[in-house]
């Protein structure tokens, strides 16, 4: 079965750049989507198809995907960016898969 | 605007059953595949089930296969999840989510939007 690996936590200083990784076997060949979830709320899409931002998502959010690692980058991190972030792919043998989630802390 | 509203959660004893509903509005429900995703307390997201726009294909996570059934009524714009033989480990918030593309086989598209979730607690 296909698995996605994320760090449990990432910390970033206010105004600096945070990078959250999502590892998977040849993930660069798949479409990766990223979701933000704040406490007590439903997940919200922040990046789709590796690097595309939905309307309403700040340009500070960007994504990349190559080889065995996809990355969500949050530039000029703000306190309001504190949340859990999940990557997600579809795999023909495993169906829909989520990473374990990364808790982003803005210091 | 697109809206998904789940209902039907509650407390149920191990071995019991529950049916969740997800009422959809703001889009042509009959054109979109739909998912159920759950989140155990303090844990991450786990995909549960998917149904194609026309109900012709259904897919399940191994953890629920044979116990849960996903269905839909396109005339009522409603998605369902029938949960039988419930276990303590099924305790979670259950979200419905819309597959972002309409029609056929675009399974690698994203989940958007999500409902607010409904809590299912399996406990004696």
């Amino acid at each position: 079965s296909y698995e996605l690996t994320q760090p449990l936590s990432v910390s970033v200083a206010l105004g600096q750049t945070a990078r959250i990784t999502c590892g998977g076997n040849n993930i660069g060949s798949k479409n990766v989507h990223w979701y933000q979830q704040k406490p007590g709320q439903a997940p919200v899409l922040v990046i789709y198809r590796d690097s595309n931002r939905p309307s309403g998502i700040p340009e500070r959010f960007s994504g990349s995907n190559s080889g065995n690692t996809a990355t969500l980058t949050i530039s000029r991190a703000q306190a309001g960016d504190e949340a859990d972030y999940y990557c997600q792919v579809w795999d023909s043998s495993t169906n829909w898969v989520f990473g374990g989630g990364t808790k982003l802390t803005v210091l | 605007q697109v809206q998904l509203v789940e209902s039907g959660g509650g407390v149920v004893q191990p071995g019991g059953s529950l049916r969740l509903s997800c009422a959809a509005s703001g889009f042509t429900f009959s054109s979109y595949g739909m998912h159920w995703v759950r989140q155990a307390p303090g844990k991450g997201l786990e995909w549960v089930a998917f149904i194609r726009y026309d109900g012709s294909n259904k897919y399940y996570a191994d953890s629920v296969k044979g116990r849960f059934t996903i269905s839909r009524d396109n005339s009522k714009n409603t998605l369902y999840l029938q949960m039988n033989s419930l276990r303590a480990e099924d305790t979670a918030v259950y979200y419905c989510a819309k597959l972002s593309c309409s029609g056929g086989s675009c399974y690698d598209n994203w989940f958007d939007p999500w409902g607010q979730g409904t809590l299912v607690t399996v406990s004696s």
Side-chain angles (χ1 to χ4, degrees):
Chain A
S1 64
Y2 195 82
E3 295 183 358
L4 296 174
T5 302
Q6 297 182 237
L8 283 176
S9 63
V10 168
S11 297
V12 61
L14 186 67
Q16 297 305 302
T17 298
R19 294 179 178 84
I20 299 172
T21 58
C22 175
N25 184 34
N26 197 26
I27 195 174
S29 67
K30 301 181 181 299
N31 287 322
V32 180
H33 317 300
W34 291 90
Y35 305 88
Q36 176 194 68
Q37 186 181 35
K38 296 182 178 179
Q41 297 184 19
V44 172
L45 179 75
V46 293
I47 292 289
Y48 66 94
R49 281 189 189 147
D50 299 342
S51 59
N52 296 276
R53 273 179 298 103
S55 59
I57 300 301
E59 292 183 8
R60 301 184 296 101
F61 287 78
S62 62
S64 63
N65 183 21
S66 179
N68 293 319
T69 304
T71 302
L72 172 69
T73 301
I74 305 171
S75 304
R76 303 182 299 283
Q78 301 178 0
D81 298 333
E82 281 205 343
D84 294 326
Y85 291 85
Y86 296 89
C87 56
Q88 176 257 315
V89 302
W90 177 78
D91 175 76
S92 59
S93 61
T94 309
N95 291 317
W96 294 269
V97 184
F98 288 95
T102 298
K103 181 178 180 61
L104 176 68
T105 300
V106 180
L107 304 172
Chain B
Q1 75 283 17
V2 176
Q3 192 170 15
L4 300 171
V5 179
E6 301 93 338
S7 60
V11 180
V12 60
Q13 292 188 340
S17 298
L18 210 56
R19 187 177 85 155
L20 306 183
S21 299
C22 169
S25 60
F27 66 102
T28 304
F29 180 72
S30 59
S31 296
Y32 290 85
M34 295 292 296
H35 292 277
W36 286 101
V37 178
R38 69 184 180 183
Q39 186 170 36
K43 302 297 184 182
L45 302 173
E46 179 188 16
W47 172 76
V48 173
F50 171 79
I51 184 168
R52 272 174 55 103
Y53 67 100
D54 57 0
S56 61
N57 288 88
K58 305 173 185 181
Y59 303 90
Y60 299 93
D62 288 345
S63 57
V64 306
K65 202 171 295 182
R67 301 187 299 122
F68 289 12
T69 301
I70 189 172
S71 62
R72 63 191 299 158
D73 185 337
N74 286 344
S75 68
K76 295 182 178 179
N77 291 344
T78 303
L79 173 73
Y80 302 101
L81 185 68
Q82 177 67 43
M83 304 185 295
N84 298 332
S85 302
L86 283 162
R87 307 165 180 167
E89 54 265 35
D90 295 319
T91 295
V93 174
Y94 285 74
Y95 297 99
C96 61
K98 171 180 158 288
L99 184 62
S100 58
C101 64
S102 62
S105 300
C106 47
Y107 296 161
D108 63 345
N109 273 31
W110 50 100
F111 298 45
D112 183 54
W114 300 56
Q116 87 290 348
T118 187
L119 176 62
V120 173
T121 302
V122 184
S123 174
S124 54

